[in-house]
Amino acid sequence: MVRIASRHCSAVGKLWSLSKWGMPSCSYRGLSGNTGSTNPFNQKREVEYPLVSNHGPLKLQALVSPSGRGLYSTAPPAIPEVALTSKRYKVQRRPFSEVTNEDLEFFSRLLQGRLVTDPDLLKPFNVDWLKSVRGYSKVLLRPKMSEEVSKILRYCNERNLAVSPQGGNTGLVGGSVPVFDEIIISMSLMNQIISLDSISGTLVCQAGCILENLNQYLEDRDFVMPLDLGSKGSCQIGGNVATNAGGLRLLRYGSLHGTVIGLEVVLADGTLLNCLTSLKKDNTGYDLKQLFIGSEGTLGIITAVSILCPRKPASVKVAFMGSPFYLLIETSGSNTAHDEEKLNHFLEKVLALRLVTDGTVATNDKKIKTLWALRERITEALNHDGYVYKYDISLPVDQLYQLVMDIRARLGMHAKNVVGYGHLGDGNLHLNVTSPAYDHALLSSIEPFVYQWTEKHCGSISAEHGLGFKKRQHIHYSKTENAVLLMHRLKSLLDPKGILNPYKVLPDISG
């Protein structure tokens, strides 16, 4: 398996695109591979890549973490309190009930100390990771079992109380926090691994399991998760499935629509839907689990996942190099000597063609993770600019980077930075525009232009992050009117009162 970061290279595999003038400032020295191995790069000299933005360096401070897992950056400067979503975006609250003392008494009896009402403790659950949207929920529930989730939803449905399911709260489109005062249902205590089939590689676990913990558990048993994200240290598998997260391994192992083979879901009325099969083949009727993969908590709350995990590759190598774009290539296989020979042949070819000017190769696990951290921490680095307008889109490969250039020309100095990176192998561009603080005029210059541009070039306005709150009103740029109407019908069928994650995914019905 190969991952590459330049649209100028034709190698088959996972590709991501990153402009030299569009990446946050950072440098790293001494990342060359083992000096005893042979590769086309000079292994003995230091390699330094200054990563600059279109308006000069951002001065991201990066360090190697004690665990060897790569880079971590210093905390961004303090910013003013995030504006309420309802006021910033002028949203009208729907006629849901408000929480009463009787409701709190019910939740307290049910959860036995896992009810949170302290305003200070609730603050981080009401604000998204990007500090771009904020609700004002007064109640946080922390169930440990599916049966508790079932009782919570049955009660809330009867009382017409809106709920906001929440995993690791690492989403980028405002889908993981309340818009108003919805009850937050945190899945963080539902973090048990149920089983692993050592023959098939089928893992069954609760929805609150952290992705990195699952991967570590699997690696110790000679498997890996088919999903890898920059937020893996915080995100939860239930949230990953609910948003159909893509990530860095999608081209190699496919999407979650293929690797998830079973789900347990609680519906709005409290019905516990057990489709938690471990079978690779089950052709009996409708494949109901597919409804909930990517539904972002609007059709039901995922409480457990059955996912097919591949064997851990015996040989992994990473190459990091530069030309007009920074390139990150990862190969994985079963024969170290054979894999090294193929990688070196490829590197020699791109060097001869002058597609690449310099770079470094890593085979050591610690160095591999450090190189990948350069890619995975871009989102975190961008936050140092202040406010980030994020766009996650799919485009034909030959048009992938043109949108970055057009947005940069359109906004000029009105934006602090315009940054483009992503996955060229699956046509996924992450477009980021930054400014010192939220600026409605700047947002108006970006939207709907970016969506119109994407529609014109036959793309999708969401490649892997979902629609959440921020993109729901723009779904028509990617879906037909009849498709959106059918989605509304499905929502009405499964959640007739609309209590599950309201104001998310689907646009308001006009008229």
Side-chain angles (χ1 to χ4, degrees), residues 133-315:
V133 288
R134 179 168 69 95
Y136 52 89
S137 175
K138 299 177 182 179
V139 180
L140 169 69
L141 307 180
R142 307 184 72 199
K144 286 185 177 180
M145 300 178 294
S146 302
E147 292 75 14
E148 291 177 340
V149 178
S150 175
K151 292 177 181 178
I152 290 169
L153 287 189
R154 183 179 297 113
Y155 182 88
C156 289
N157 191 59
E158 292 173 354
R159 283 275 296 116
N160 195 33
L161 293 167
V163 300
S164 177
Q166 189 173 106
N169 198 13
T170 60
L172 303 179
V173 288
S176 59
V177 296
V179 174
F180 291 94
D181 57 347
E182 301 90 88
I183 294 171
I184 301 171
I185 302 178
S186 171
M187 308 303 289
S188 60
L189 296 183
M190 297 186 64
N191 57 7
Q192 300 300 306
I193 294 174
I194 299 170
S195 66
L196 172 66
D197 187 322
S198 60
I199 297 176
S200 68
T202 301
L203 175 75
V204 181
C205 64
Q206 288 185 305
C209 290
I210 293 174
L211 181 59
E212 188 169 23
N213 294 346
L214 290 177
N215 196 65
Q216 186 59 57
Y217 172 87
L218 289 166
E219 285 193 359
D220 293 342
R221 292 156 179 80
D222 205 31
F223 290 92
V224 294
M225 286 293 289
L227 177 70
D228 185 23
L229 305 171
S231 60
K232 57 181 172 282
S234 302
C235 66
Q236 299 172 10
I237 188 62
N240 298 151
V241 175
T243 58
N244 189 28
L248 304 174
R249 292 175 178 167
L250 184 140
L251 197 64
R252 176 66 177 85
Y253 299 120
S255 75
L256 290 172
H257 279 290
T259 55
V260 172
I261 57 178
L263 291 177
E264 180 185 73
V265 181
V266 180
L267 303 182
D269 64 358
T271 300
L272 186 60
L273 182 65
N274 189 341
C275 298
L276 203 62
T277 179
S278 294
L279 299 173
K280 294 182 181 179
K281 300 179 75 173
D282 179 6
N283 200 17
T284 53
Y286 304 131
D287 192 357
L288 296 178
K289 70 176 182 295
Q290 299 294 349
L291 278 176
F292 303 97
I293 300 174
S295 66
E296 303 185 57
T298 61
L299 299 180
I301 297 181
I302 296 171
T303 52
V305 177
S306 176
I307 187 167
L308 191 62
C309 302
R311 284 283 178 181
K312 181 180 178 181
S315 169

